[in-house]
Amino acid sequence: MDYKTIRLAHEADIATITLNRPDKRNAISYELIDELRAALDDLSNSSTLVLILTGAGKAFCSGMDLENLKALVGRSQEQNLKDSETMAHLFRSLYDFPGPTIAAVNGAAIAGGCGLATLCDFTLAVPEAKFGYTEVRIGFVPAIVSAFLLRQIGEKYARDLLLTGRIIGADEAHRIGLVNEIVPPEKLSERARELALQLMENSPASLLHTKRLLSEHARAELDAQIQAAVRENAAIRATADFREGISSFLEKRKPRWSGE
């Protein structure tokens, strides 16, 4: 497949997906979602044993693309549900990828980008990396990612990040369990590959079976939570606060919330 928003590279049984919109800080567009889903589906059915996910340029992924944000306000309920289901499928495809996954976070990972960075089995980050689930600051609900985040870092930390929408540095992300390891920028790619090779020293069958077991442990609970999250994610888009949040963000002004 001829990708436009990502790069896909193979080395032995290691695949690397690079989010490749550096001029847009690798923001999530509809095209990027489609291409990332396609790549994950293809790699899931290939000989790939370990997947590395990273970003081109100075950011890992800055969240949703501004042009896509503008278009959200006028979408129908059916379109909103489909959008939410699509994002849920993307997150689930990454979380349930058959082999081990490594996020090499080279810069800011915000909102949906933070989800991509932290749903991998291992998250490596440069000291300058920033993390944040900023959805509440612009009238969204971080519904889908909340199901995964609660399992990763526990309810107290998850409530803090999701309700405040604050952005945290790599040190705090490491302390609370969002990040496994902080790596100097010049060593990030090397360390990700080193970890991939370390994983490949193990039995391939054991790795795949262990990943499948971990996914199955979480499946029933995640299925129910994500179904509810998809509905909540679509419902918030019908509110006045959602429209105001998008408008104020795009106009770079302080929002005037109505609570409706």
Side-chain angles (χ1 to χ4, degrees):
M1 182 173 176
D2 184 19
Y3 297 110
K4 296 180 180 178
T5 64
I6 66 173
R7 295 198 310 263
L8 178 58
H10 293 271
E11 180 186 355
D13 291 331
I14 303 171
T16 299
I17 296 177
T18 303
L19 307 179
N20 192 31
R21 304 184 74 212
D23 57 321
K24 301 290 186 181
R25 295 174 56 80
N26 301 320
I28 298 172
S29 64
Y30 291 123
E31 185 176 24
L32 185 144
I33 292 172
D34 289 343
E35 291 191 350
L36 190 50
R37 285 181 61 188
L40 289 171
D41 288 345
D42 287 346
L43 292 172
S44 294
N45 297 304
S46 73
S47 62
T48 297
L49 186 58
V50 180
L51 170 65
I52 298 171
L53 179 65
T54 192
K58 296 182 179 180
F60 178 81
C61 178
S62 60
M64 184 165 283
D65 182 87
L66 292 181
E67 292 302 316
N68 287 166
L69 274 177
K70 292 177 184 177
L72 288 181
V73 175
R75 293 174 78 80
S76 67
Q77 178 69 6
E78 292 76 16
Q79 288 173 316
N80 288 332
L81 277 171
K82 184 177 179 181
D83 288 346
S84 299
E85 289 167 352
T86 298
M87 185 59 77
H89 183 274
L90 173 59
F91 282 172
R92 198 63 180 271
S93 295
L94 184 58
Y95 184 81
D96 288 336
F97 190 80
T101 55
I102 303 167
V105 183
N106 55 303
I110 306 299
C114 193
L116 295 176
T118 57
L119 288 181
C120 291
D121 299 308
F122 301 88
T123 300
L124 313 178
V126 299
E128 299 79 15
K130 301 293 182 184
F131 299 84
Y133 299 98
T134 56
E135 285 87 344
V136 295
R137 295 165 65 174
I138 57 170
F140 277 83
V141 172
I144 297 167
V145 76
S146 67
F148 300 98
L149 193 64
L150 284 166
R151 302 183 66 86
Q152 285 197 341
I153 62 173
E155 187 169 347
K156 205 69 173 179
Y157 285 132
R159 283 176 179 261
D160 176 350
L161 295 183
L162 297 177
L163 291 173
T164 65
R166 67 190 181 94
I167 295 174
I168 63 175
D171 285 341
E172 184 172 358
H174 181 247
R175 178 173 60 80
I176 66 177
L178 278 179
V179 167
N180 295 87
E181 190 176 336
I182 299 176
V183 184
E186 67 276 11
K187 297 286 187 181
L188 183 62
S189 296
E190 177 185 338
R191 176 59 186 137
R193 184 177 180 277
E194 180 184 73
L195 177 55
L197 291 173
Q198 178 185 345
L199 290 164
M200 290 172 64
E201 292 177 0
N202 299 321
S203 157
S206 293
L207 286 177
L208 296 175
H209 279 262
T210 301
K211 276 294 303 271
R212 186 167 63 206
L213 179 65
L214 292 170
S215 290
E216 286 301 320
H217 281 329
R219 188 170 304 283
E221 182 178 14
L222 277 177
D223 283 348
Q225 290 175 339
I226 289 174
Q227 286 179 11
V230 164
R231 294 192 297 269
E232 195 65 42
N233 204 45
I236 193 67
R237 298 187 186 190
T239 66
D241 271 5
F242 173 80
R243 294 189 293 274
E244 170 60 14
I246 296 295
S247 297
S248 62
F249 180 75
L250 294 174
E251 295 166 10
K252 298 181 180 181
R253 61 172 173 80
K254 188 176 178 65
R256 297 183 289 269
W257 303 120
S258 68
E260 298 176 355

